[in-house]
């Protein structure tokens, strides 16, 4: 079964989704006249104009724009930022990071469109505002089949399987750094997660608006310290990214066997997997934002991709290349642990374990919220209690398992849910453009 799923993912993430997602980003970039460049300053002002770690309390009517963005970033900034960059560099060379940047740039236009549509088609269900791709597929594209198909795949991909592997990452990191039994970590993680889940939208918003800025700041500061300590190696790492994008052998030598197509493939695939642009996950957070115009939340979504890729993921990439950890023979998260160990000594292992706890836990909360919106879509509020129980069981089990198959299944369902979402985005592109044009005509942005 593992080999079958791997083969499917090789096609999905190796060819199909790279073309579909990057192509979608390019289309929207031109169609919306470079929205991510023209309105980049306005986007930052939209997000940080009234920044606070203690915003107004979220409730049935939704949450603030910043709380919605924080919830989206909580899901985007996960183990992919620590392990995804490492995988891309090891498999595609330092040049893979350049292609990660490029995919993120085009992804900003895609995620703008997702957020606008999520706002346009949000609904009140059982007394609470909710929304996401299932809603714009059903009420915008008028396809009940695609809406239900998307809802089922995201519940499986994020709610169950995805949260299982996030929990596994935390259990593994704490086992290696502190020698704590992963099962104990899993039980404690389930208790804390259950407390957040039961609190609903109010508790989720309150947690993410505080946790996301703190955890990102903590990680970025640690990474910058290492980059300063590495001195000229850091400048060399930047050079290797640009040279390696077009001539990998000039950086790694011919023996490495990495070609330009590998740099493009792994850079684009891992970049898209990290920032989630076009995947249909983050619109669930953007749908519940209380904003004056849908375009305002679209601008906030652009900032989410920027923070995820150009700040947090970049720190991981530069630290790995500057320390030479990508040549250590390690793979995945072990490469990132090795890089911070080279920079900080044994404290580096502890630093990555603590960072991973914040990153993976915030992703569990974000992904739960996204899947919950689709449980409401399919079953209404009556489906929430059994759903929460199953998620908590998966979290405990996840910390104790070897989960290569589970990771591959998560990748597969993540990939499958992209397809109906992109169909919806392209089908409703005119609506996105008319909403943007009207906002610009009325000087709302």
């Amino acid at each position: 079964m593992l080999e079958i799923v791997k083969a499917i993912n090789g096609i999905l993430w190796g060819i199909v989704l790279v073309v579909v997602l990057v192509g979608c980003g390019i289309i929207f970039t031109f169609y919306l006249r470079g929205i991510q460049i023209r309105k980049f300053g306005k986007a930052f002002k939209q997000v940080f104009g009234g920044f606070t770690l203690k915003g107004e309390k979220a409730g049935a009517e939704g949450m603030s724009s910043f709380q919605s963005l924080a919830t989206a970033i909580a899901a985007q900034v996960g183990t992919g930022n620590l392990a995804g960059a490492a995988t891309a560099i090891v498999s595609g060379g330092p040049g893979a990071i350049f292609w990660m940047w490029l995919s993120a740039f085009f992804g900003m236009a895609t995620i703008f469109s997702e957020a606008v549509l999520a706002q346009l088609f949000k609904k009140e269900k059982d007394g609470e505002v909710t929304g996401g791709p299932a809603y714009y597929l059903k009420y915008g594209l008028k396809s009940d089949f695609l809406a239900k198909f998307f809802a089922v795949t995201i519940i499986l991909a994020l709610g169950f399987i995805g949260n299982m592997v996030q929990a596994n990452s935390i259990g593994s990191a704490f086992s290696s750094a502190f020698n704590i039994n992963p099962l104990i970590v899993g039980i404690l993680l389930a208790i804390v997660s259950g407390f957040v889940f039961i609190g609903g939208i109010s508790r989720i918003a309150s947690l993410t608006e505080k946790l996301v800025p703190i955890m990102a700041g903590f990680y970025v500061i640690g990474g910058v310290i290492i980059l300063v300590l590495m001195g000229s190696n850091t400048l060399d790492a930047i050079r290797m990214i640009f040279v390696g994008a077009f001539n990998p052998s000039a950086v790694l030598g011919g023996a490495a066997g990495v070609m330009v197509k590998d740099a493009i493939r792994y850079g684009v695939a891992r970049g898209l997997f990290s920032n989630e642009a076009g995947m249909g996950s983050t619109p669930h957070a953007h749908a519940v934002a209380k904003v004056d115009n849908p375009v305002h939340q679209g601008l906030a979504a652009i900032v989410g991709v920027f923070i995820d890729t150009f700040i947090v993921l970049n720190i991981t990439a530069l630290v790995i290349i500057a320390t030479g950890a990508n040549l250590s023979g390690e793979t995945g998260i072990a490469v990132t642990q090795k890089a911070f160990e080279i920079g900080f000594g044994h404290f580096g292992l502890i630093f990555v374990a603590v960072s991973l706890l914040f990153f993976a836990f915030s992703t569990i909360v974000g992904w739960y919220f996204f899947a919950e919106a689709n449980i409401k879509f399919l079953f209404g509020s009556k489906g929430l209690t059994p759903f929460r129980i199953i998620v908590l069981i998966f979290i405990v089990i996840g910390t104790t398992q070897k989960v290569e198959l589970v990771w591959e299944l998560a990748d597969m369902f993540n990939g499958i849910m992209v397809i109906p979402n992109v169909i919806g985005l392209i089908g409703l592109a005119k609506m996105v453009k008319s909403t943007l044009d009207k906002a610009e005509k009325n000087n709302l942005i």
Side-chain angles (χ1 to χ4, degrees):
M1 186 173 178
L2 176 63
E3 292 308 312
I4 291 169
V5 176
K6 273 186 172 179
I8 293 170
N9 284 341
I11 297 169
L12 263 179
W13 285 102
I15 307 166
V16 178
L17 294 182
V18 169
V19 173
V20 168
L21 285 171
V22 174
C24 188
I26 292 171
I27 289 168
F28 275 109
T29 295
F30 283 100
Y31 193 53
L32 303 177
R33 305 186 313 281
I35 182 71
Q36 66 271 57
I37 302 171
R38 292 191 298 116
K39 300 296 180 182
F40 190 72
K42 285 278 178 85
F44 259 77
K45 188 176 180 181
Q46 167 70 26
V47 172
F48 298 109
F51 172 72
T52 174
L53 290 178
K54 188 170 174 54
E56 60 181 282
K57 189 174 182 181
E61 72 283 2
M63 58 178 81
S64 72
S65 178
F66 180 77
Q67 288 168 336
S68 294
L69 176 64
T71 304
I73 294 175
Q76 289 168 300
V77 179
T79 53
N81 289 76
L82 276 71
T87 303
I89 294 166
V90 170
S91 304
I97 302 304
F98 174 86
W99 300 106
M100 234 179 220
W101 294 341
L102 202 63
S103 68
F105 170 76
F106 289 120
M108 287 177 179
T110 306
I111 212 161
F112 171 87
S113 305
E114 288 182 293
V116 169
L117 289 173
Q119 277 284 316
L120 287 172
F121 292 100
K122 63 184 177 182
K123 300 285 180 186
E124 187 177 295
K125 192 141 183 159
D126 297 326
E128 282 192 347
V129 171
T130 187
Y135 291 84
Y136 56 71
L137 286 168
K138 180 175 182 177
Y139 299 107
L141 204 64
K142 308 296 184 187
S143 175
D144 194 50
F145 169 74
L146 285 178
K148 288 178 177 175
F149 179 74
F150 175 86
V152 170
T153 54
I154 194 171
I155 289 166
L156 291 171
L158 304 189
F160 297 150
I161 300 169
N163 278 336
M164 194 177 183
V165 293
Q166 294 295 331
N168 183 265
S169 298
I170 296 172
S172 299
F174 270 68
S175 177
S176 60
F178 304 107
N179 201 27
I180 299 174
N181 187 326
L183 181 60
I184 295 172
V185 175
I187 293 169
L188 291 173
L189 191 58
I191 291 169
V192 177
S193 298
F195 173 76
V196 176
F197 297 167
I198 292 166
I201 189 172
S202 174
R203 199 167 288 164
I204 289 170
S206 180
L207 174 82
T208 56
E209 74 175 343
K210 296 175 182 65
L211 182 60
V212 168
I214 292 169
M215 75 175 191
F218 172 78
Y219 184 72
V220 168
I221 289 168
V224 168
I225 290 170
I226 291 179
L227 294 176
V228 170
L229 292 173
M230 296 306 296
S232 61
N233 281 13
T234 299
L235 295 175
D236 197 45
I238 296 169
R239 180 192 65 82
M240 289 168 74
I241 289 172
F242 284 99
V243 174
F246 304 98
N247 188 9
S249 60
V251 173
L252 298 170
V258 174
M259 303 179 72
V260 174
K261 66 180 177 63
D262 297 315
I264 296 172
R265 176 190 163 177
Y266 289 104
V268 171
R270 288 292 93 183
L272 291 168
F273 194 79
S274 173
N275 63 54
E276 302 185 26
M279 287 177 60
S281 50
T282 58
H284 300 91
H286 297 303
V288 298
K290 294 181 286 188
V291 289
D292 296 328
N293 188 285
V295 170
H296 291 160
Q297 198 57 28
L299 294 178
I302 288 174
V303 176
V305 172
F306 180 82
I307 291 171
D308 172 84
T309 303
F310 291 99
I311 298 179
V312 180
L313 193 141
N314 255 7
I315 287 292
T316 305
L318 289 172
V319 168
I320 288 171
I321 300 168
T323 58
N326 55 308
L327 306 175
S328 65
E330 301 285 359
T331 58
I333 191 66
V335 179
T336 308
Q337 287 178 313
K338 186 69 177 176
F340 277 86
E341 188 180 14
I342 292 169
F344 285 145
H346 180 69
F347 173 72
L349 293 175
I350 297 170
F351 181 86
V352 172
V354 173
S355 296
L356 194 64
L357 170 64
F358 285 131
F359 283 23
F361 176 65
S362 72
T363 300
I364 286 172
V365 172
W367 281 1
Y368 164 82
F369 180 73
F370 300 163
E372 181 190 77
N374 290 276
I375 290 289
K376 289 178 183 175
F377 176 79
L378 293 173
F379 309 109
S381 294
K382 65 180 182 291
L384 291 183
T385 299
F387 171 64
R388 286 168 180 163
I389 293 169
I390 296 170
V391 171
L392 295 176
I393 291 170
F394 268 68
I395 286 172
V396 175
I397 294 173
T399 55
T400 64
Q401 301 298 306
K402 296 289 185 185
V403 287
E404 186 180 6
L405 175 60
V406 184
W407 258 118
E408 292 291 340
L409 283 168
D411 277 359
M412 184 177 77
F413 283 113
N414 267 323
I416 291 170
M417 77 187 200
V418 168
I419 296 166
N421 184 54
V422 168
I423 291 171
L425 291 175
I426 298 297
L428 298 168
K430 283 186 178 178
M431 195 170 289
V432 175
K433 189 173 189 301
S434 65
T435 305
L436 173 60
D437 289 345
K438 186 185 283 187
E440 289 190 288
K441 185 179 178 181
N442 294 326
N443 293 317
L444 296 176
I445 59 169

